[in-house]
Amino acid sequence: MKKIYANGTDEKAFLDELKRRSGETNKKVAETVSAIIDDVKENGDEAVKRYTLKFDGSLPEYYEVPRDVINDALNEADEELINALLNAMENIADFHNRQREQGFINAKENGVILGQRIRGLERVGLYVPGGTAAYPSSVLMNAIPAKIAGVKEIVMITPPLKDGTPNKDILVAAAVCGVDRVFLAGGAQAIAALAYGTEEIPKCDKIVGPGNIYVATAKKLLYGTVDIDMIAGPSEILVLADETADPKFAAADLMSQAEHDVLASSIMVTTSEKLADETLAEIERQMQYLSRKDIIAKSLEDYGAIIITDCRHCAVELANAIAPEHLEVLMENPFELLGSLDNAGSIFLGHYASEPLGDYYAGPNHVLPTSGTARFFSPLGVASFTKRSSYIYYTQEALAEAKDDIVLIAEREGLTAHANAIKVRFED
Amino acid sequence: MKKIYANGTDEKAFLDELKRRSGETNKKVAETVSAIIDDVKENGDEAVKRYTLKFDGSLPEYYEVPRDVINDALNEADEELINALLNAMENIADFHNRQREQGFINAKENGVILGQRIRGLERVGLYVPGGTAAYPSSVLMNAIPAKIAGVKEIVMITPPLKDGTPNKDILVAAAVCGVDRVFLAGGAQAIAALAYGTEEIPKCDKIVGPGNIYVATAKKLLYGTVDIDMIAGPSEILVLADETADPKFAAADLMSQAEHDVLASSIMVTTSEKLADETLAEIERQMQYLSRKDIIAKSLEDYGAIIITDCRHCAVELANAIAPEHLEVLMENPFELLGSLDNAGSIFLGHYASEPLGDYYAGPNHVLPTSGTARFFSPLGVASFTKRSSYIYYTQEALAEAKDDIVLIAEREGLTAHANAIKVRFED
């Protein structure tokens, strides 16, 4: 892991290097994915199953997992896991309930009524990746805000395990938070099936959930045909730390991001060189007993750094430039900085708000903007699963008063049929 | 304009035909645009100017329009136009002010603090198309919600007129609603410049505004590098009408959409065959005196229809399936239907809420989801220009209580470094 002194050159070189990590759509992948999408659009379930056979080696036990198999998974699950998920769910639901938006109506004295109506999407597709990245916590973080938004149907799609059966923990999470239907398929073909609908898989209004580059590219290509959550890149943490930070905590938190992926990025910006050195030593020590130490070592080597800076203010400026997915403030009086930290998906304040607390448990969503997109994207939330409509009611008298202005602007824009639609209402 | 009887076959054939109108990204256009984007990313202003010369024939009078030229445009504008824009602006600002969201904080008795912070984006790019599609109303509808959201800088970019000067009405609108900077360039190169930034054009967090297929494709390709408003297709109106509707009004409103574009779609669904016939006659009559009658005739011929249905309920079902950008309810007791109309960008209730009233004046935004995307997209609004961050503060005691659940889920997911980050805080 690099130690960099913030001097305006070295840390800029590192941040430029970091940017190269995410990059835009890979054109070769886009071509492959585009062909799969066209195929699924044309051939539906037959194409989905053909790709499952090709990429996964065999067809799963079920295409749609029967309801009693989902119920059995729940009944057979160990109580500790269910209780942990229920506790997490309570916190997640409490936080997201506070995000609910009301529509409004402005009924004016002159009879004019203007308003905004908010309602949940009809049907949402939830992709859950296979293999080691099949996370029950991901199911909760995607399904709970959808439920709270009033989504009528949540359709999960996930690749089967190697033996053709569904991942039991994923089924348990799906059952716990009220997912309506579960299909076994993966990759770009699964995304295309949710976007267009097939005979068996219902067409969805929005597709959410993480996935590999094929899944992410399919979502981007289909954006517009269907809504998507966001363009997600590798995971990131930025730890701001001063001399009050415990190097054990800092090291552990940096590695908790690094273990996700060799492309993950873990950066500490600190005003204390002593802390930097002690944290590096702690990383060496703790890494030895972690099961994913090879991934951690590679990720820290390529995209990890400890940047030493002179002042608290300089640390904040760096954080704003990086716009990280997760931002920890292991500093004295962390709330003092809340207003000046412009860009971050989720901000963890103080020495006990460790990042995994947010991944699983505290309540805010763990689906967060990556690759610097916290400058403009937001965490997944209830608003991600609603649609707004505005509505307008005018009386004849109110329109008569507005008439001249509307006609003037319309004619100025050369849109005479627009002007006509107003004028025709006042002809005898 | 077709007259179709809703019998489940004919109107389905028409709706299928309609869908073909929008379609996905044109691959040939995407290749061209992709090359322009790469070029601008690499060569900055030089590339932008080179494309301006190539596509527009000459370089504009200014690259960035000087502040005094903008002020002069405002000072020289006729008072009627300014007053009409100011009146519209007052309504638009009033409506959008009601959309402002507050963040929240939940400070619990056990010391835990969870919250959500909402703030405006830093810098937004506003594209305004050239030629006859340069609409002052569009400037208002994009800039006002951005201002209300707290966006710090709005950068407008618009192609110059044929003589190399900026469109005066656009400058007036920009001045009236507080656009900060104006550049003269158009097409995919302008979008790329806003997304990446050049030496002269500042990098933006989000790009909004209408444009031709090159502009729309550039926005879609750059989505993720920058946020965009939406994938916009041709304009649409759906008029639901019963026997209380005035055929003069219905005809005029249908044509006000049709005049936008030969690809625009104007559909009436009515329970009254008498109204259908009278509306067709009115279209013939009124079209004769409208300046854009050729566009109107072609648009109505290709994508217009009057669908006759048996019942109010069937009309609503059709509207929900079409999910139109603009939905007019020229029916008795229109509010009765507000709850059952699921999918529409903006709903115009009653005989005097003519669609152009919403385009210019009433207050709700005129940037609306098209091509059936009202199923999942929303009108442009204040939320389009904000970003959310969540924040988490935990005490040592609160984390101690949550510890076992977090460690259990993390280990179940195979993420031992996540578990370690919690455990390490409770080692002696």
Side-chain angles (χ1 to χ4, degrees), chain B residues 1 14 36 94 154 157 199 233 238 245 344 402 428:
Chain B
M1 196 172 189
F14 169 69
I36 294 174
D94 179 68
I154 302 177
I157 195 159
E199 264 190 48
L238 180 68
D428 55 303

Side-chain angles (χ1 to χ4, degrees), chain A residues 1-297:
Chain A
M1 196 174 190
K2 284 169 279 295
K3 197 167 104 177
I4 297 170
Y5 295 88
N7 58 9
T9 307
D10 291 353
E11 100 269 16
K12 194 180 170 309
F14 169 68
L15 295 181
D16 283 349
E17 187 53 43
L18 193 67
K19 261 189 225 157
R20 234 155 267 144
R21 180 182 61 123
S22 58
E24 278 98 46
T25 313
N26 177 312
K27 280 174 194 173
K28 208 173 160 63
V29 172
E31 270 174 39
T32 308
V33 168
S34 183
I36 294 175
I37 289 173
D38 291 347
D39 193 355
V40 171
K41 186 179 179 186
E42 183 73 24
N43 300 306
D45 296 309
E46 183 273 314
V48 174
K49 291 174 184 174
R50 181 158 32 80
Y51 285 112
T52 300
L53 205 50
K54 181 173 170 188
F55 297 129
D56 299 334
S58 65
L59 286 178
E61 197 175 352
Y62 328 96
Y63 192 43
E64 176 167 9
V65 182
R67 177 49 55 184
D68 57 0
V69 173
I70 299 172
N71 292 341
D72 287 352
L74 184 62
N75 292 332
E76 291 159 13
D78 60 275
E79 214 174 315
E80 273 192 322
L81 175 67
I82 293 183
N83 283 338
L85 292 178
L86 287 175
N87 288 339
M89 193 167 157
E90 192 181 330
N91 290 339
I92 297 166
D94 179 69
F95 185 85
H96 288 83
N97 266 319
R98 291 165 202 269
Q99 292 183 325
R100 294 176 74 144
E101 279 181 272
Q102 299 296 325
F104 60 79
I105 181 165
N106 178 21
K108 301 194 193 190
E109 290 181 355
N110 67 352
V112 166
I113 298 178
L114 302 171
Q116 174 170 283
R117 195 190 65 184
I118 298 176
R119 55 172 54 170
L121 302 180
E122 176 90 13
R123 190 186 292 119
V124 166
L126 165 50
Y127 188 84
V128 179
T132 54
Y135 299 139
S137 59
S138 225
V139 177
L140 268 58
M141 290 293 185
N142 281 280
I144 294 170
K147 280 280 175 188
I148 291 174
V151 169
K152 293 205 192 100
E153 189 174 28
I154 302 177
V155 178
M156 178 189 283
I157 195 158
T158 183
L161 298 177
K162 285 231 169 74
D163 67 0
T165 64
N167 179 317
K168 289 277 168 28
D169 287 355
I170 294 301
L171 290 189
V172 171
V176 161
C177 55
V179 167
D180 297 282
R181 302 177 71 178
V182 180
F183 289 86
L184 295 181
Q189 60 274 20
I191 302 299
L194 294 173
Y196 291 115
T198 64
E199 263 189 52
E200 299 194 50
I201 298 172
K203 178 181 167 77
C204 293
D205 298 317
K206 180 158 187 161
I207 302 174
V208 298
N212 63 19
I213 189 170
Y214 293 92
V215 168
T217 303
K219 283 166 68 182
K220 174 158 181 177
L221 291 175
L222 286 163
Y223 177 59
T225 298
V226 67
D227 192 17
I228 63 172
D229 45 359
M230 60 183 77
I231 311 283
S235 202
E236 303 159 341
I237 190 168
L238 180 67
V239 176
L240 299 186
D242 62 17
E243 69 290 346
T244 69
D246 186 325
K248 278 203 313 194
F249 299 5
D253 292 356
L254 289 165
M255 288 190 291
S256 78
Q257 266 330 280
E259 79 168 329
H260 272 297
D261 184 351
V262 293
L263 292 173
S265 160
S266 305
I267 304 172
M268 179 159 92
V269 177
T270 180
T271 48
S272 161
E273 176 137 24
K274 177 163 172 285
L275 179 75
D277 293 331
E278 290 173 355
T279 302
L280 286 168
E282 270 297 321
I283 286 175
E284 283 308 311
R285 187 185 71 81
Q286 293 179 30
M287 199 191 300
Q288 301 318 314
Y289 60 76
L290 294 173
S291 60
R292 295 163 76 93
K293 68 177 167 209
D294 295 344
I295 296 173
I296 294 171

Side-chain angles (χ1 to χ4, degrees), chain B residues 399-422:
Chain B
L399 190 65
E401 267 189 50
K403 174 175 169 283
D404 291 347
D405 283 341
I406 300 175
V407 169
L408 185 135
I409 304 177
E411 289 182 343
R412 193 80 180 212
E413 292 189 351
L415 297 175
T416 52
H418 280 61
N420 177 61
I422 304 299

Side-chain angles (χ1 to χ4, degrees), chain A residues 87 99 116-117 119 205 253 256 259 291 338 341-344 351 375 387 389 405 416 418 425, chain B residues 87 99 116-117 119 205 253 256 259 291 338 341-344 351 375 387 389 405 416 418 425:
Chain A
N87 288 339
Q99 292 183 325
Q116 174 170 283
R117 195 190 65 184
R119 55 172 54 170
D205 298 317
D253 292 356
S256 78
E259 79 168 329
S291 60
L338 184 57
L341 294 166
D342 281 330
N343 304 320
H351 303 295
R375 288 189 296 115
K387 57 190 170 192
S389 296
D405 283 341
T416 52
H418 280 60
R425 283 171 161 82
Chain B
N87 288 339
Q99 292 183 326
Q116 175 170 282
R117 197 190 64 185
R119 54 173 54 170
D205 298 317
D253 294 356
S256 77
E259 80 169 329
S291 60
L338 184 57
L341 294 166
D342 281 329
N343 304 319
H351 303 295
R375 287 189 297 116
K387 57 189 170 192
S389 297
D405 283 341
T416 52
H418 280 61
R425 283 171 160 81

